[in-house]
Amino acid sequence: MKIVCIGGGPAGLYFALLMKQLNPAHDITVVERNKPYDTFGWGVVFSDATMDNMRAWDGPTADTIQEAFNHWDDIELHFKDRVIRSGGHGFVGIGRKKLLNILQSRCEDLGVKLVFEAEVDSDLDFPDADLVIASDGINSRVRTRYADVFQPDIVVRPNRYIWLGTNKLYDAFTFLFERTEHGWFQAHVYKFDANTTTFIVECPEEVWLAHGLDQADQEQSIAFCEQLFAKNLQGAKLMTNARHLRGSAWLNFQRVVCGHWWLKNEHGSHVVLMGDAVHTAHFAIGSGTKLAIEDAIELTRQFKQLGDEPARIPEVLAAYQEARRVETLRIQNAAWNAMEWFEVCGKRYCDQLPPEQFMYSMLTRSQRISHENLRLRDKGWLEGYEKWFAQQAGVATVGAPPPPMFTPYTLRSVRLKNRIVVSPMAQYSAPDGLVGDYHLVHLGARAMGGAGLVMAEMTCVSPEGRITPSCPGLWTDAQGAAWKRVVDWVHAQSDAKIGLQIGHAGPKGSSCEPWTGGGMDQPLPAGNWPLLAASAQPYLPDGQVPRAMTRADMDQVREQFVAAVRRGADAGFDWLELHCAHGYLLSSFISPLTNRRTDDYGGSLENRLRYPLEIFRAVRQAWPAHLPISVRISAHDWVEGGITPSDAVEIARAFKAAGADMIDCSSGQVHPDQKPTYGRMYQTPFADRIRQEAGIATIAVGAISEADHANSILAAGRADLCAVARPHLANPAWTLSEAAKIGYTPMAWPRQYVSGKSQMEANFVREKAAAAAAPAKA
Ligand SMILES: Cc1cc2nc3c(=O)[nH]c(=O)nc-3n(C[C@H](O)[C@H](O)[C@H](O)COP(=O)(O)OP(=O)(O)OC[C@H]3O[C@@H](n4cnc5c(N)ncnc54)[C@H](O)[C@@H]3O)c2cc1C
Ligand SMILES: Cc1cc2nc3c(=O)[nH]c(=O)nc-3n(C[C@H](O)[C@H](O)[C@H](O)COP(=O)(O)O)c2cc1C
């Protein structure tokens, strides 16, 4: 085959040498615009796994690279006059020039033709090529030429960065943070050979502009960075090798994703994208070169498996795209999280988190590294951190500290024994709004299951405020007494606290129980009651139309909330949550999708919050001052034009100003057109952002299904409590089981159940040992 690689970066060179090695009969040329020893950039980092992969495909190249590598294990943070270091992170670094020279020399040894200082105009410059590899980097001309086929999705990110070097040597992957009068800068620093260190400086666009760096040339930018990091550099100079760039040399990262990776051009040659031309990964997780190298390996593997003659090319390219697309998206997602962390850290974390927690947050920024991963990497550091966390929670630790989820949490006079909440879950099992034996057993079992707080389901303030005919209420004294029986049992038989979630279904009322109506939110076929909402807009397009509330309705419903809350206080609940989420009455005021009013209660967010805040204040007055109130909100409507996470910060600020203690950060269920992005812990970013930006405690909820999730969230300060819903339906003792699973044996079990504790713990120990032994046997 005749193969031409446009671009002699890691992707083009490595693919050329692998294919030549696979079959020396191939005629392979790499065309590069630069000279062999001319390149931008400094060092790049790899993981040990990438090296193993390379060794399997070409031993000599891997060995030469290995010799040139700098290996280091530690990450060091320099932040607010503190230096914090943790180990076990395992990176290797190499100079970009060195890497390219090794690949170039191996290409020459194998007989690949290298053409330097040649600018390629397009793939059509090579009419007799069977295969053209578009390895022409992030600004790929070939990709642009066929944009209609490749469908590139390019997102330009807001931060600015400059890729510098220095001869000061660092013995850890080092992160430096410096505050200026206009905001925070950070530097990502790693040594890549005996004399040189990469030094990437990054900051948000507005900070960059405020310092006039858009007007600065390279020398002035370097002088600025030297002064900014003078304390750390101690006289060492910063250097650039990006003289080919015009202007300031401060770049914006561009995230590239392509819908399609290959085509056949008008000469009949197949053209395929590789490396940065088809996908980019932010340097915050340092994997762009790894992706380029792994693309080259995968395409070679497909040729090896399916046949390396021209007739097989379409099949090979299809298989290559299929194999690489999913893997690169996975890495790009992790890189995206890490990149976003560095974009927002100045505003969200630097001034909010203490240095210890800042370090933890930084280490877990990609959300690929969890609490238990950190323990595997550096047990000593993690235990030290757990100790610090426990001390902040007021626990005097002598022996091993408790994991974060098992530290207590105090709000007003209420002390939760741990940070797990049974999230409110409607059970549709309270005829006439009366809870009975069902709730005694259901909530009682969960109170015995180990969680610190058991939040009862949405309890309605009036018959019209019910979701279904079987939802519990607090509009009569008999209902209050029925709740008191449940609350008293929980208090007598467990050390869990029990919370009341109070709400009004608004436009989503008069619905069937999910098992009678064929799903959620289906209107009752008969026996409907009149509905109230912010506006006369049904939840489902063909649903029952509610009445837009008049001022008189507002007064009446406010008094219903107050009366219900008083009954809740009399019943002895420890905690109150006001339900302002999920499209119910108060939520229908907050979201612009459901509030179409033109009076003082519609329009601006301030107006839309007016009635929910009126209810909150009335409820706060009626609820005992020593007991906390949380507010559940939908922090994202997941619909264009609806509530966004930045609106949610404003909503949280408003409730905080009105006296709320905590925001319970749910999302969605406000509009049937919602398109949520589900995934592990998918709503936690809202809890995190609200906690840091609005300065109020938060509950994270949504797909938190393991102790490792909860510990990672709490330890990073992304929330103060974790609510767990569906896992508690399957297992009322979820918290006790998770404690046993992670080996936290000091967990107290109900005295009647104690003989199950050691058995469960021993079973988990055995399972773990068997899992650890399994690969060794295989
Ligand atoms: C600040 C920064 C830090 C980074 N740090 C890391 C890191 O630590 N680890 C890591 O793995 N990755 C890192 N990367 C990313 C890494 O550099 C790229 O992902 C990697 O180089 C991609 O390899 P590639 O071969 O696809 O593209 P490139 O390395 O960009 O190679 C493309 C080549 O094509 C040539 N070319 C382009 N157009 C033409 C044309 N028309 N004619 C002739 N030649 C042409 C270019 O001159 C270039 O040599 C970093 C990137 C940046 C910007
Ligand atoms: C059966 C069921 C009923 C629910 N009822 C309520 C409710 O009454 N009030 C509320 O705020 N959320 C309710 N939710 C939402 C949960 O509290 C929680 O936010 C959601 O299930 C996401 O958490 P998970 O992924 O742990 O299940 C309910 C969820 C389920 C599964």
Side-chain angles (χ1 to χ4, degrees):
M1 282 198 297
K2 188 168 170 50
I3 302 173
V4 177
C5 301
I6 304 177
L13 290 169
Y14 197 55
F15 176 71
L17 75 84
L18 289 183
M19 276 304 280
K20 191 73 182 168
Q21 196 191 38
L22 181 69
N23 184 349
H26 293 316
D27 173 357
I28 307 180
T29 309
V30 178
V31 190
E32 166 59 45
R33 62 155 71 106
N34 290 331
K35 294 183 190 139
Y37 294 93
D38 231 22
T39 182
F40 67 91
W42 299 91
V44 293
V45 292
F46 279 178
S47 67
D48 292 345
T50 311
M51 278 311 298
D52 292 346
N53 204 2
M54 289 178 85
R55 181 159 296 102
W57 282 87
D58 180 32
T61 305
D63 289 343
T64 325
I65 290 176
Q66 184 87 38
E67 279 164 30
F69 263 150
N70 267 267
H71 192 275
W72 70 98
D73 259 344
D74 291 0
I75 290 182
E76 194 169 277
L77 167 69
H78 293 236
F79 180 62
K80 296 183 178 169
D81 296 326
R82 291 278 303 278
V83 177
I84 304 177
R85 189 174 177 121
S86 95
H89 300 284
F91 297 100
V92 284
I94 186 169
R96 179 176 158 94
K97 270 190 200 178
K98 181 83 191 165
L99 175 68
L100 292 182
N101 292 158
I102 292 171
L103 299 178
Q104 288 158 1
S105 138
R106 179 75 176 144
C107 277
E108 276 165 354
D109 290 352
L110 291 167
V112 172
K113 281 175 240 157
L114 300 181
V115 181
F116 291 101
E117 298 180 74
E119 181 78 30
V120 176
D121 190 37
S122 87
D123 52 303
L124 299 177
D125 294 1
F126 311 99
D128 55 346
D130 298 300
L131 180 64
V132 177
I133 306 290
S135 49
D136 51 347
I138 189 163
N139 298 315
S140 171
R141 214 179 264 175
V142 179
R143 185 188 66 219
T144 309
R145 179 183 176 86
Y146 299 110
D148 53 332
V149 179
F150 293 136
Q151 300 156 31
D153 173 9
I154 301 176
V155 182
V156 179
R157 298 305 303 178
N159 267 17
R160 288 282 175 166
Y161 69 91
I162 185 167
W163 201 354
L164 302 173
T166 175
N167 295 124
K168 179 173 156 82
L169 302 179
Y170 293 76
D171 65 351
F173 198 129
T174 303
F175 292 95
L176 311 174
F177 287 81
E178 287 295 341
R179 192 209 313 254
T180 69
E181 67 274 30
H182 299 302
W184 285 85
F185 281 77
Q186 59 260 11
H188 309 236
V189 183
Y190 50 93
K191 183 177 126 192
F192 63 86
D193 68 24
N195 311 310
T196 338
T197 295
T198 296
F199 202 103
I200 305 170
V201 180
E202 184 192 12
C203 69
E205 178 97 3
E206 68 272 14
V207 178
W208 180 74
L209 286 172
H211 282 283
L213 290 165
D214 55 326
Q215 305 297 324
D217 61 21
Q218 296 210 27
E219 273 67 31
Q220 289 164 327
S221 294
I222 288 176
F224 175 87
C225 294
E226 281 174 350
Q227 202 184 358
L228 182 62
F229 294 104
K231 201 168 48 176
N232 186 274
L233 285 168
Q234 295 173 330
K237 294 275 163 222
L238 292 176
M239 310 175 279
T240 176
N241 63 6
R243 307 251 173 235
H244 63 290
L245 293 175
R246 282 184 297 276
S248 81
W250 289 83
L251 306 173
N252 292 90
F253 175 73
Q254 297 181 46
R255 196 288 322 265
V256 176
V257 173
C258 289
H260 196 73
W261 293 28
W262 61 280
L263 54 78
K264 193 172 179 178
N265 70 15
E266 59 195 74
H267 293 313
S269 310
H270 283 91
V271 181
V272 62
L273 299 172
M274 187 178 280
D276 271 11
V278 64
H279 46 59
T280 54
H282 190 261
F283 54 85
I285 64 163
S287 285
T289 308
K290 161 197 154 83
L291 288 181
I293 294 281
E294 288 174 352
D295 283 353
I297 292 176
E298 187 58 38
L299 188 53
T300 312
R301 185 201 319 276
Q302 295 297 345
F303 274 118
K304 190 173 175 194
Q305 269 173 12
L306 300 171
D308 61 340
E309 60 264 20
R312 311 313 295 256
I313 293 178
E315 198 186 338
V316 165
L317 297 186
Y320 157 75
Q321 172 179 331
E322 191 48 35
R324 290 300 292 153
R325 209 176 43 89
V326 177
E327 173 61 12
T328 51
L329 278 179
R330 203 180 58 77
I331 305 269
Q332 283 184 306
N333 280 345
W336 183 273
N337 293 338
M339 171 193 76
E340 274 194 327
W341 190 93
F342 282 110
E343 286 170 1
V344 301
C345 65
K347 275 212 170 111
R348 199 175 291 169
Y349 304 118
C350 287
D351 295 319
Q352 288 81 349
L353 301 182
E356 290 81 357
Q357 195 159 41
F358 187 81
M359 172 75 165
Y360 187 103
S361 176
M362 188 184 78
L363 291 178
T364 53
R365 64 189 179 272
S366 74
Q367 283 156 59
R368 272 198 317 178
I369 295 172
S370 70
H371 198 71
E372 292 310 314
N373 295 143
L374 285 177
R375 196 184 307 282
L376 291 176
R377 286 168 185 233
D378 189 342
K379 190 162 183 266
W381 179 81
L382 190 76
E383 283 182 0
Y385 181 69
E386 285 183 328
K387 200 167 208 159
W388 176 87
F389 191 92
Q391 280 161 0
Q392 310 307 302
V395 182
T397 50
V398 234
M405 67 188 269
F406 295 115
T407 57
Y409 185 76
T410 304
L411 203 54
R412 298 202 183 221
S413 66
V414 176
R415 184 176 193 269
L416 304 179
K417 64 181 171 179
N418 64 46
R419 303 202 181 209
I420 299 301
V421 179
V422 176
S423 200
M425 278 182 286
Q427 299 295 296
Y428 316 104
S429 301
D432 301 323
L434 275 170
V435 294
D437 287 351
Y438 177 84
H439 284 83
L440 187 71
V441 174
H442 168 70
L443 294 169
R446 277 138 195 93
M448 291 176 81
L453 174 65
V454 177
M455 190 73 80
E457 70 198 85
M458 178 168 122
T459 299
C460 311
V461 299
S462 65
E464 304 76 40
R466 288 171 301 165
I467 312 169
T468 75
S470 311
C471 288
L474 265 176
W475 64 86
T476 68
D477 290 342
Q479 290 163 346
W483 270 121
K484 186 168 187 316
R485 178 168 167 252
V486 175
V487 171
D488 286 348
W489 194 94
V490 167
H491 286 159
Q493 300 296 337
S494 83
D495 53 2
K497 303 293 180 194
I498 179 163
L500 165 67
Q501 190 191 50
I502 199 90
H504 187 300
K508 291 174 94 174
S510 193
S511 299
C512 302
E513 298 86 6
W515 49 80
T516 56
M520 293 292 294
D521 307 314
Q522 297 305 310
L524 282 171
N528 303 82
W529 55 84
L531 299 180
L532 292 175
S535 298
Q537 180 177 303
Y539 174 65
L540 297 175
D542 54 354
Q544 190 181 330
V545 180
R547 186 173 82 233
M549 285 178 88
T550 62
R551 188 56 246 187
D553 291 329
M554 291 185 197
D555 291 341
Q556 190 188 20
V557 169
R558 187 191 57 235
E559 292 320 307
Q560 289 168 347
F561 266 96
V562 166
V565 162
R566 290 213 171 102
R567 288 193 184 96
D570 291 344
F573 280 104
D574 304 296
W575 189 294
L576 181 69
E577 178 160 286
L578 184 65
H579 201 329
C580 295
H582 302 167
Y584 297 122
L585 184 72
L586 299 179
S587 161
S588 82
F589 274 84
I590 298 175
S591 172
L593 302 173
T594 46
N595 183 338
R596 310 284 183 188
R597 300 176 75 103
T598 50
D599 61 3
D600 287 351
Y601 301 93
S604 65
L605 179 60
E606 190 189 351
N607 279 2
R608 286 182 275 124
L609 276 168
R610 197 180 305 280
Y611 185 59
L613 288 171
E614 177 182 328
I615 296 284
F616 178 84
R617 289 195 192 94
V619 157
R620 184 61 270 181
Q621 280 273 308
W623 183 246
H626 65 284
L627 298 179
I629 308 188
S630 54
V631 177
R632 181 167 264 213
I633 62 168
S634 285
H636 197 329
D637 283 347
W638 305 106
V639 178
E640 191 71 35
I643 291 293
T644 63
S646 63
D647 295 328
V649 173
E650 294 309 317
I651 296 168
R653 283 200 180 114
F655 277 108
K656 181 188 174 192
D661 297 301
M662 203 171 219
I663 304 294
D664 187 353
C665 304
S666 185
S667 76
Q669 299 176 53
V670 171
H671 196 279
D673 292 347
Q674 65 171 8
K675 295 213 168 32
T677 311
Y678 294 116
R680 258 174 336 129
M681 308 180 272
Y682 72 105
Q683 294 173 151
T684 300
F686 313 139
D688 184 17
R689 182 162 176 190
I690 288 171
R691 184 175 190 269
Q692 321 309 343
E693 293 187 13
I696 184 166
T698 57
I699 305 179
V701 64
I704 299 170
S705 54
E706 299 171 13
D708 203 20
H709 296 162
N711 282 325
S712 306
I713 292 168
L714 297 166
R718 305 179 80 206
D720 299 271
L721 300 177
C722 286
V724 175
R726 286 163 299 172
H728 272 118
L729 292 180
N731 179 3
W734 182 86
T735 310
L736 296 182
S737 314
E738 288 299 306
K741 207 180 276 174
I742 62 170
Y744 180 61
T745 53
M747 187 75 190
W749 279 44
R751 58 178 179 241
Q752 299 89 336
Y753 293 177
V754 159
S755 35
K757 177 174 188 273
S758 51
Q759 190 203 30
M760 182 181 251
E761 288 165 354
N763 282 344
F764 280 127
V765 169
R766 261 197 299 278
E767 268 177 31
K768 235 190 206 162
K777 264 190 255 153

